[in-house]
Amino acid sequence: MQVKVVLRNLRTAPRKSRQLVDVIRNKNVAEARALLEFTVKRSADPVLKLLNSAVASAVNDLHLEESNLKISEIRVDEGPKLKRSHPMSRGRAYPILKRTSHIMLTLEEINPKTEVKKTTEKKEEIKKEKTISNKKESKVKKPKASKK
């Protein structure tokens, strides 16, 4: 089971964010958290928030164990550039590009459970049984109400 989360428009350059992301790639969640908490980089806090968000959604929505999760993929892409100018002498202006990043994080189970498949199969069987029983009930003729 995979959990994907995205952080868009982070106001740090992708080049600087990639340095941090390379450190935590293919680590389990506990190791990655420890590394992010003690890393002195500007993008460490937003990436840690992103990781915590992914873990929370995996635990609450998909009922996965936190200790059984690892970072299978983390990618930093370039976001939109903010275009600014720096005033120079004689009325000139030099362009400044303030770069932004998009970070995509994917968590995956270390040891996937087979029970998840069984529960989905059971749900499908229950749905089939309900549809069959509904069809049988619809075939049975109901007495008509008498008109007065």
Side-chain angles (χ1 to χ4, degrees):
M1 187 80 51
Q2 289 186 340
V3 179
K4 294 181 182 181
V5 289
V6 179
L7 171 65
R8 295 198 181 275
N9 301 324
L10 176 64
R11 241 322 265 124
T12 52
R15 188 176 180 184
K16 295 176 182 178
S17 297
R18 283 187 192 111
Q19 290 176 341
L20 175 74
V21 163
D22 289 340
V23 172
I24 63 168
R25 187 172 283 125
N26 295 325
K27 301 267 194 268
N28 65 22
V29 172
E31 288 177 33
R33 271 192 185 142
L35 287 168
L36 288 172
E37 285 176 359
F38 295 105
T39 302
V40 185
K41 283 276 187 192
R42 182 179 177 187
S43 57
D45 286 337
V47 173
L48 180 61
K49 262 183 153 177
L50 182 70
L51 178 64
N52 289 336
S53 172
V55 170
S57 64
V59 170
N60 293 328
D61 297 343
L62 302 174
H63 306 292
L64 302 176
E65 292 181 23
E66 185 177 331
S67 59
N68 195 24
L69 295 172
K70 73 169 190 166
I71 299 172
S72 65
E73 180 186 2
I74 185 164
R75 190 174 78 220
V76 178
D77 293 332
E78 192 170 326
K81 297 175 191 134
L82 303 175
K83 292 171 179 144
R84 305 289 182 256
S85 60
H86 183 72
M88 299 300 281
S89 61
R90 298 185 194 171
R92 285 187 236 160
Y94 285 139
I96 297 174
L97 292 179
K98 298 194 173 200
R99 299 174 191 276
T100 60
S101 305
H102 296 324
I103 301 176
M104 277 66 94
L105 174 73
T106 306
L107 292 180
E108 201 171 62
E109 284 184 293
I110 297 170
N111 299 320
K113 295 179 183 176
T114 55
E115 295 174 16
V116 175
K117 293 178 184 175
K118 291 179 183 176
T119 56
T120 55
E121 289 173 2
K122 286 180 183 177
K123 288 179 183 177
E124 289 175 5
E125 288 177 15
I126 292 170
K127 285 181 183 177
K128 287 179 184 177
E129 289 174 5
K130 285 182 180 178
T131 56
I132 291 170
S133 64
N134 288 340
K135 288 179 183 177
K136 287 180 182 177
E137 289 175 9
S138 64
K139 288 181 181 178
V140 175
K141 293 183 180 179
K142 296 179 182 175
K144 294 182 180 179
S146 62
K147 294 182 182 178
K148 291 184 182 181

